[in-house]
């Protein structure tokens, strides 16, 4: 009985499933379309929200300076977020799945780095500015309420912001990370196979 097993030979003989290039290119196109669509949705939503905030300022003529500062901080938060987020649009438009796999892989890695920057630094500033703006905006109206109702109003508002920050934001970040990491992994696999 021969106990010598040639592991290298067994390794070479194993069947490796080849990634479907057409399927991968279709997934990349879907990822690109979803990214561009997300940027446009964000632009429209935040532009509409900013327009509504300006309308509220104009129509209701707030008396307290805190209310005006709150509106300005809210709009500033949205402008900063949209300004940085729109930089991804150029990368998405420049990316082409039919190009060299290595180049496209580098663009996906760049998109992942930009997303991480947006999700950590920019989104943190967005929430801080927005939360501060909302709290300052609400002060004028909360000062007209009883203490109980003012605390309840602030409590519910801060609870909603906390829910977004601690629950919804991490889930969204994880979802985006999984999508792009899956594509990067598959492109790396294709590149490795092409090098062999």
């Amino acid at each position: 009985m021969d106990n010598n097993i040639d592991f290298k030979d067994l390794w070479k003989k194993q069947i490796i499933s080849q990634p479907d290039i057409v399927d991968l290119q279709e997934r990349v196109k879907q990822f690109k379309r979803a990214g561009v669509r997300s940027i446009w949705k964000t632009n429209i939503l935040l532009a509409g929200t900013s327009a509504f905030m300006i309308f509220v300022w104009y129509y209701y003529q707030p008396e307290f300076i805190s209310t005006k500062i709150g509106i300005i901080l809210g709009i500033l938060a949205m402008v900063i977020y949209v300004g940085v987020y729109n930089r991804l649009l150029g990368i998405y438009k420049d990316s082409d799945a039919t190009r060299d796999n290595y180049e496209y892989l580098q663009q996906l890695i760049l998109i992942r780095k930009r997303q991480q920057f947006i999700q950590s630094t920019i989104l943190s500033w967005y929430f801080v500015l927005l939360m501060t703006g909302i709290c300052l905006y609400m002060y004028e109206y909360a000062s007209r309420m009883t203490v109980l109702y003012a605390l309840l109003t602030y409590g519910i508002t801060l609870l909603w912001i906390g829910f977004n920050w601690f629950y919804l934001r991490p889930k969204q970040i994880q979802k985006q990370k999984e999508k792009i990491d899956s594509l990067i992994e598959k492109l790396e696999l294709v590149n490795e196979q092409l090098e062999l």
Side-chain angles (χ1 to χ4, degrees):
M1 186 151 112
D2 187 18
N3 288 337
N4 293 333
I5 300 173
D6 188 2
F7 287 109
K8 287 183 181 179
D9 190 41
L10 283 175
W11 184 261
K12 289 178 184 176
K13 289 180 182 178
Q14 76 177 350
I15 299 171
I16 300 173
S17 63
Q18 299 292 324
D20 185 9
I21 299 295
V22 175
D23 179 54
L24 180 60
Q25 285 180 338
E26 186 58 35
R27 288 182 63 192
V28 166
K29 286 178 187 176
Q30 287 175 354
F31 174 77
K32 180 181 171 180
R33 272 185 260 143
V36 170
R37 196 175 321 116
S38 173
I39 290 172
W40 282 109
K41 283 180 185 177
T42 301
N43 282 332
I44 292 167
L45 183 66
L46 294 183
T49 304
S50 296
F52 178 73
M53 292 172 79
I54 291 168
F55 168 76
V56 166
W57 184 342
Y58 176 76
Y59 188 75
Y60 290 103
Q61 295 292 316
E63 297 172 13
F64 290 12
I65 190 75
S66 64
T67 309
K68 296 172 185 175
I69 292 172
I71 291 172
I72 290 170
L73 286 177
I75 292 171
L76 180 66
M78 291 180 223
V79 166
I80 290 171
Y81 183 77
V82 165
V84 174
Y85 195 48
N86 280 343
R87 291 184 184 166
L88 278 177
L89 191 60
I91 298 172
Y92 280 122
K93 287 191 176 195
D94 288 343
S95 63
D96 184 8
T98 59
R99 270 204 268 177
D100 181 288
N101 285 339
Y102 180 77
E103 287 178 35
Y104 195 74
L105 177 63
Q106 294 308 312
Q107 286 185 321
L108 283 178
I109 291 171
L110 178 63
I111 289 171
R112 180 173 60 185
K113 286 179 185 177
R114 291 272 172 92
Q115 280 182 344
Q116 288 170 344
F117 173 72
I118 289 169
Q119 293 162 349
S120 60
T121 307
I122 300 302
L123 208 53
S124 296
W125 278 104
Y126 173 77
F127 269 97
V128 167
L129 286 172
L130 193 62
M131 183 180 68
T132 306
I134 289 171
C135 289
L136 286 172
Y137 174 79
M138 289 174 38
Y139 177 72
E140 179 176 343
Y141 306 106
S143 68
R144 298 176 188 158
M145 299 178 187
T146 64
V147 174
L148 177 65
Y149 284 126
L151 289 175
L152 187 64
T153 302
Y154 270 104
I156 290 171
T157 303
L158 294 176
L159 193 65
W160 175 249
I161 292 171
F163 174 73
N164 278 291
W165 179 259
F166 294 110
Y167 182 73
L168 294 180
R169 183 184 70 96
K171 285 186 94 165
Q172 185 66 23
I173 289 171
Q174 185 62 31
K175 193 170 147 183
Q176 288 177 343
K177 185 178 182 312
E178 286 172 1
K179 281 181 184 178
I180 197 163
D181 285 349
S182 169
L183 286 174
I184 288 173
E185 183 180 303
K186 290 192 184 312
L187 277 171
E188 284 175 340
L189 181 64
V190 167
N191 281 342
E192 287 174 11
Q193 289 177 354
L194 291 176
E195 288 174 1
L196 296 177

